[in-house]
Amino acid sequence: MACEDVDIFYGDFKAVSNVSLQFGFNEITALIGPSGCGKSTVLRSLNRMNDLIEGARVEGTITFRGEEIYGKKVDPIEVRRRIGMVFQKANPFPKSIYDNVAYGPRVSGMKVESMDELVESSLRAAALWDEVKDKLKDSGLGLSGGQQQRLCIARTIAVRPDVILMDEPCSSLDPIATLRIEDLMHELKQDFSIVIVTHNMQQAARVADRTAFFTALSAEGSGDRTGVLVEYAPTRKIFDDPADQRTEDYVSGRFG
Ligand SMILES: Nc1ncnc2c1ncn2[C@@H]1O[C@H](COP(=O)(O)OP(=O)(O)OP(=O)(O)O)[C@@H](O)[C@H]1O
């Protein structure tokens, strides 16, 4: 997956300017940077989630497996099936644990030989099966915050995406639940590519193969601040030997 010269607007406001990034398969890429630099905006553009925000507009090229995802003939629902998303706050449906996982395959009309097996394998892949296998009919809302987030990951995996986008998936979790999700991410990258937005630099350093650092620049003559990509490199390089002073200031905690 790649974006090239991407600008993203909300109405007249240019939130993100000139972003070019290539995401590796079976890799975890972290998007980091100070608040308002456009990380979530970029993430949402990768599976056309911005389509759902009134006034949001993407210019430039975003391709997935060589195909332009904003192409006229492309079905955004299919894009979102292949490029799934996990949100900041776990948002299980008010349904049973089983039905949360089965929901996506059912509504997308996926051909499934055994729904029971698909539910089990998705819950296993999300490291939740052992905790819920005896209460699959209970409501997903009855689980702990960390379990709910893993349920949302299972729900995302169930439709067999190629890429999983994660928007600060651990920000409302305690440190133990956070480490659990990070371990899970390491396992998931065997089968999926992952792009994660995180405020937590240690988290980026722990999980990501590559890291993109963004900042926000003030536009001349207006108070608007537009997000730009400063540097994109292997995570170790970003943290140990960044090329740009702004990256160094941010990762060393001097700014942001
Ligand atoms: N739905 C929206 N409508 C209008 N403007 C928006 C919308 N979402 C974000 N913005 C603006 O776009 C800019 C980038 O926001 P975005 O949420 O992508 O940044 P971020 O880096 O993810 O921030 P944070 O780390 O605080 O979540 C900000 O100026 C924000 O106010």
Coordinates of all heavy atoms in Angstrom, one line a residue, residues 1 23-27 43 46-47 64-65 79-86 156-157 159-166 191-195:
M1 N 0.8 -1.2 0.0 CA 0.0 0.0 0.0 C 0.9 1.3 0.0 O 1.9 1.3 0.6 CB -0.9 0.0 1.3 CG -1.9 1.1 1.3 SD -3.2 0.8 2.5 CE -2.3 0.6 4.0
F23 N 3.9 1.5 2.6 CA 3.8 0.6 3.7 C 4.2 -0.8 3.3 O 3.7 -1.3 2.3 CB 2.3 0.6 4.2 CG 1.8 1.9 4.6 CD1 1.1 2.7 3.7 CD2 2.1 2.5 5.8 CE1 0.7 4.0 4.0 CE2 1.7 3.7 6.2 CZ 1.0 4.5 5.3
G24 N 5.0 -1.5 4.2 CA 5.5 -2.8 3.8 C 4.4 -3.9 4.2 O 3.7 -3.8 5.2
F25 N 4.4 -5.0 3.4 CA 3.5 -6.1 3.8 C 4.2 -6.8 5.0 O 5.4 -6.9 5.1 CB 3.4 -7.1 2.7 CG 2.4 -6.6 1.6 CD1 2.9 -6.0 0.4 CD2 1.1 -6.6 1.9 CE1 2.0 -5.5 -0.5 CE2 0.2 -6.1 1.0 CZ 0.6 -5.6 -0.2
N26 N 3.3 -7.3 5.9 CA 3.8 -8.0 7.1 C 4.7 -7.2 7.9 O 5.7 -7.7 8.5 CB 4.4 -9.4 6.8 CG 3.4 -10.3 6.0 OD1 3.6 -10.5 4.8 ND2 2.4 -10.7 6.7
E27 N 4.4 -5.9 7.9 CA 5.2 -5.0 8.7 C 4.2 -4.1 9.6 O 3.0 -4.0 9.2 CB 6.0 -4.0 7.9 CG 7.3 -4.5 7.4 CD 8.1 -3.4 6.7 OE1 7.7 -2.2 6.7 OE2 9.2 -3.8 6.3
L43 N -4.5 8.2 8.5 CA -4.9 6.8 8.7 C -6.3 6.5 8.1 O -6.4 5.6 7.4 CB -4.9 6.5 10.2 CG -5.1 5.0 10.6 CD1 -3.7 4.3 10.4 CD2 -5.6 4.8 12.0
L46 N -6.6 5.9 4.4 CA -6.0 4.7 3.8 C -7.1 3.6 3.5 O -6.9 2.7 2.8 CB -5.0 4.1 4.7 CG -3.7 5.0 5.0 CD1 -2.8 4.3 6.0 CD2 -3.0 5.3 3.7
N47 N -8.3 3.8 4.2 CA -9.4 2.8 3.8 C -10.7 3.6 3.5 O -11.8 3.0 3.7 CB -9.6 1.7 4.9 CG -10.3 2.3 6.2 OD1 -10.3 3.5 6.4 ND2 -10.8 1.4 7.0
F64 N -3.5 0.4 -3.3 CA -3.5 -0.8 -2.6 C -3.3 -1.9 -3.6 O -4.1 -2.1 -4.5 CB -4.7 -1.0 -1.7 CG -4.7 -2.3 -1.0 CD1 -3.8 -2.5 0.0 CD2 -5.7 -3.2 -1.3 CE1 -3.8 -3.7 0.7 CE2 -5.7 -4.4 -0.6 CZ -4.7 -4.7 0.4
R65 N -2.2 -2.7 -3.4 CA -1.9 -3.7 -4.4 C -2.0 -3.1 -5.8 O -2.5 -3.7 -6.8 CB -2.8 -4.9 -4.3 CG -2.6 -5.7 -3.0 CD -3.4 -6.9 -2.9 NE -3.3 -7.6 -1.7 CZ -2.3 -8.4 -1.3 NH1 -1.3 -8.7 -2.1 NH2 -2.3 -9.0 -0.1
V79 N -13.2 -1.8 -0.1 CA -11.9 -1.2 0.4 C -11.8 -1.5 1.9 O -10.8 -1.9 2.5 CB -11.7 0.3 0.1 CG1 -10.5 0.9 0.8 CG2 -11.6 0.5 -1.4
R80 N -12.9 -1.1 2.6 CA -12.9 -1.2 4.1 C -12.9 -2.7 4.6 O -12.5 -3.0 5.7 CB -14.0 -0.5 4.7 CG -13.8 1.0 4.6 CD -15.0 1.9 5.1 NE -15.0 3.1 4.3 CZ -16.1 3.5 3.8 NH1 -17.3 2.9 3.9 NH2 -16.1 4.6 3.0
R81 N -13.3 -3.6 3.7 CA -13.3 -5.0 4.1 C -11.8 -5.5 4.0 O -11.3 -6.2 4.9 CB -14.1 -5.9 3.2 CG -14.3 -7.3 3.7 CD -14.9 -8.3 2.7 NE -14.0 -8.5 1.6 CZ -12.8 -9.2 1.6 NH1 -12.4 -9.7 2.8 NH2 -12.1 -9.4 0.6
R82 N -11.1 -5.0 3.0 CA -9.7 -5.5 2.8 C -8.7 -4.7 3.7 O -7.7 -5.2 4.0 CB -9.3 -5.3 1.3 CG -10.2 -6.3 0.5 CD -9.8 -6.2 -1.0 NE -8.5 -6.7 -1.2 CZ -7.8 -6.7 -2.4 NH1 -8.4 -6.1 -3.4 NH2 -6.6 -7.2 -2.5
I83 N -9.1 -3.5 4.1 CA -8.3 -2.7 4.9 C -9.2 -2.3 6.1 O -9.9 -1.4 6.1 CB -7.8 -1.4 4.2 CG1 -7.1 -1.8 2.9 CG2 -6.9 -0.6 5.1 CD1 -6.7 -0.7 2.0
G84 N -9.1 -3.1 7.2 CA -10.0 -3.0 8.3 C -9.4 -2.0 9.3 O -8.3 -1.5 9.2
M85 N -10.3 -1.6 10.3 CA -9.9 -0.6 11.2 C -10.3 -0.9 12.6 O -11.4 -1.4 12.9 CB -10.5 0.8 10.8 CG -9.9 1.9 11.5 SD -10.1 3.4 10.4 CE -9.0 4.5 11.2
V86 N -9.4 -0.6 13.6 CA -9.7 -0.7 15.0 C -9.6 0.7 15.6 O -8.6 1.4 15.4 CB -8.7 -1.7 15.7 CG1 -8.9 -1.7 17.2 CG2 -8.8 -3.1 15.1
T156 N -12.5 -7.5 13.4 CA -11.9 -7.0 12.2 C -11.2 -8.1 11.4 O -11.3 -8.2 10.1 CB -10.8 -5.9 12.6 OG1 -11.4 -4.9 13.3 CG2 -10.1 -5.3 11.4
I157 N -10.6 -9.0 12.1 CA -9.9 -10.1 11.4 C -10.9 -11.1 10.7 O -10.5 -11.7 9.7 CB -9.1 -11.0 12.5 CG1 -8.0 -10.2 13.1 CG2 -8.6 -12.2 11.9 CD1 -7.4 -10.9 14.3
V159 N -13.3 -10.9 8.8 CA -13.6 -10.7 7.3 C -12.3 -10.8 6.5 O -12.3 -10.5 5.3 CB -14.3 -9.4 7.0 CG1 -15.7 -9.3 7.6 CG2 -13.5 -8.2 7.5
R160 N -11.2 -11.3 7.1 CA -10.0 -11.6 6.4 C -9.4 -10.4 5.6 O -9.3 -10.5 4.4 CB -10.2 -12.8 5.4 CG -10.7 -14.1 6.0 CD -9.5 -14.9 6.5 NE -9.8 -16.1 7.2 CZ -9.9 -16.1 8.6 NH1 -9.7 -15.1 9.3 NH2 -10.2 -17.3 9.2
P161 N -9.1 -9.4 6.3 CA -8.6 -8.2 5.6 C -7.1 -8.5 5.3 O -6.5 -9.5 5.8 CB -8.7 -7.1 6.7 CG -8.5 -7.8 8.0 CD -9.2 -9.2 7.8
D162 N -6.5 -7.6 4.5 CA -5.0 -7.7 4.3 C -4.3 -6.8 5.2 O -3.1 -7.0 5.5 CB -4.7 -7.3 2.8 CG -5.4 -8.3 1.9 OD1 -5.1 -9.5 2.0 OD2 -6.1 -7.8 1.0
V163 N -4.9 -5.7 5.5 CA -4.3 -4.6 6.3 C -5.2 -4.3 7.5 O -6.4 -4.3 7.4 CB -4.1 -3.3 5.5 CG1 -3.4 -2.2 6.3 CG2 -3.3 -3.6 4.2
I164 N -4.6 -4.0 8.7 CA -5.4 -3.5 9.8 C -4.9 -2.1 10.2 O -3.7 -2.0 10.5 CB -5.3 -4.5 11.0 CG1 -5.6 -5.9 10.6 CG2 -6.2 -4.0 12.2 CD1 -5.4 -6.9 11.8
L165 N -5.8 -1.2 10.2 CA -5.4 0.2 10.7 C -5.8 0.3 12.1 O -7.0 -0.1 12.5 CB -6.2 1.2 9.8 CG -6.1 1.1 8.3 CD1 -6.9 2.2 7.6 CD2 -4.6 1.2 7.9
M166 N -5.0 0.8 13.0 CA -5.3 1.0 14.4 C -5.1 2.4 14.8 O -4.0 2.9 14.7 CB -4.4 0.0 15.2 CG -4.6 -1.4 14.9 SD -3.6 -2.4 16.0 CE -4.4 -4.0 15.8
D191 N 0.5 -12.3 9.5 CA -0.6 -12.5 8.5 C -1.1 -11.2 7.9 O -1.8 -11.3 6.9 CB -1.8 -13.2 9.2 CG -1.4 -14.6 9.6 OD1 -0.8 -15.4 8.8 OD2 -1.7 -15.0 10.8
F192 N -0.9 -10.1 8.6 CA -1.5 -8.8 8.2 C -0.4 -7.8 8.2 O 0.6 -7.9 8.9 CB -2.6 -8.4 9.1 CG -3.6 -9.4 9.4 CD1 -3.6 -10.2 10.5 CD2 -4.7 -9.6 8.5 CE1 -4.6 -11.2 10.7 CE2 -5.7 -10.5 8.7 CZ -5.6 -11.3 9.8
S193 N -0.7 -6.7 7.4 CA 0.1 -5.5 7.5 C -0.6 -4.6 8.5 O -1.9 -4.6 8.5 CB 0.3 -4.8 6.2 OG 0.7 -5.7 5.2
I194 N 0.1 -3.9 9.4 CA -0.6 -3.1 10.4 C -0.1 -1.6 10.3 O 1.1 -1.4 10.2 CB -0.4 -3.6 11.8 CG1 -0.9 -5.0 11.9 CG2 -0.9 -2.7 12.9 CD1 -0.6 -5.7 13.2
V195 N -1.0 -0.7 10.3 CA -0.6 0.7 10.5 C -1.2 1.2 11.8 O -2.4 1.1 11.9 CB -1.0 1.6 9.3 CG1 -0.5 3.0 9.4 CG2 -0.6 1.0 7.9

